[in-house]
Amino acid sequence: MLLDELIEMPRIRSAIELEELPSPSTLCKAFNRLDMAVWRVLLNLSATLLPTNGVVGIDASGFDRSHASKHYTKRTKLTIQQLEVTLLVDTRANAIIDLHVTTTRKHDSKIAPSLIKRNTGEVAVLLGDKGYDDQKIRALVRETGVRPVIKHREFSSLHKAWNARLDADLYGQRSQNETVNSRLKRKYGAFVRSRLWWKQFRELVVGCLTHNIDKTL
């Protein structure tokens, strides 16, 4: 599909100095050759194009690993495992700063530390729901100079009091995560097309990268 579009886009080909159209296999080989680390760097660079403010929300969403219809899979009793995608989203610019992808059912609190450690310089305030209510996360965030605005699970009246004192306006910005998740699925699909798991991870990074560039334009 990309090659078909490039055939109809002489101005775009000229802008990127593409004198000859590549074959489909060339694109696939290039996609395979670029490591995940390279795509992460490109994602980080794309986020710098937007006016971020350091108020970052963290949230997870599911992406299907096949685009078979829900009706078909239910009728045939197929189970299609989802990818769990956790996004770090700057709430001012709706920029995706980083993501974590897993095929397992890890708890949110187990995923957050790696994202926080990778992006300490980009986050001033971390917004999270009760799924990220873990003392280890709060301690890690404070150690890196980040302010945690995370709801407590209400096991006692003290937890309810802490939640009541939470900055409602600031915490409300966490809804931008849901907006970005919804936009990704509406514009680029709620499923991945690749069949291999490592290609699926890269495909999602490319989707996030494209989202940032699209927001910039």
Side-chain angles (χ1 to χ4, degrees), residues 2 20 31 45 59-60 68 81 88 119 148 150 165 178 201 205:
L2 175 61
E20 184 179 347
F31 188 70
L45 289 173
D59 200 11
Q81 188 179 22
L88 273 186
N119 299 278
I150 301 171
R165 292 170 55 190
E178 296 171 6
F201 288 13
V205 177

Side-chain angles (χ1 to χ4, degrees), residues 76-115:
T76 55
K77 297 181 180 179
L78 289 175
T79 56
I80 298 177
Q81 188 179 22
Q82 281 192 324
L83 293 172
E84 183 180 353
V85 183
T86 304
L87 299 180
L88 273 186
V89 175
D90 185 275
T91 59
R92 179 185 178 187
N94 278 3
I96 300 173
I97 297 172
D98 201 354
L99 79 161
H100 180 282
V101 188
T102 180
T103 59
T104 61
R105 286 286 171 259
K106 277 187 179 179
H107 193 270
D108 293 341
S109 61
K110 303 296 183 183
I111 293 170
S114 61
L115 281 171

Side-chain angles (χ1 to χ4, degrees), residues 16-35:
I16 62 176
E17 299 180 357
L18 186 65
E19 297 178 358
E20 184 179 347
L21 287 175
S23 67
S25 61
T26 301
L27 293 175
C28 292
K29 288 175 182 176
F31 188 70
N32 296 346
R33 191 165 57 247
L34 293 176
D35 292 334

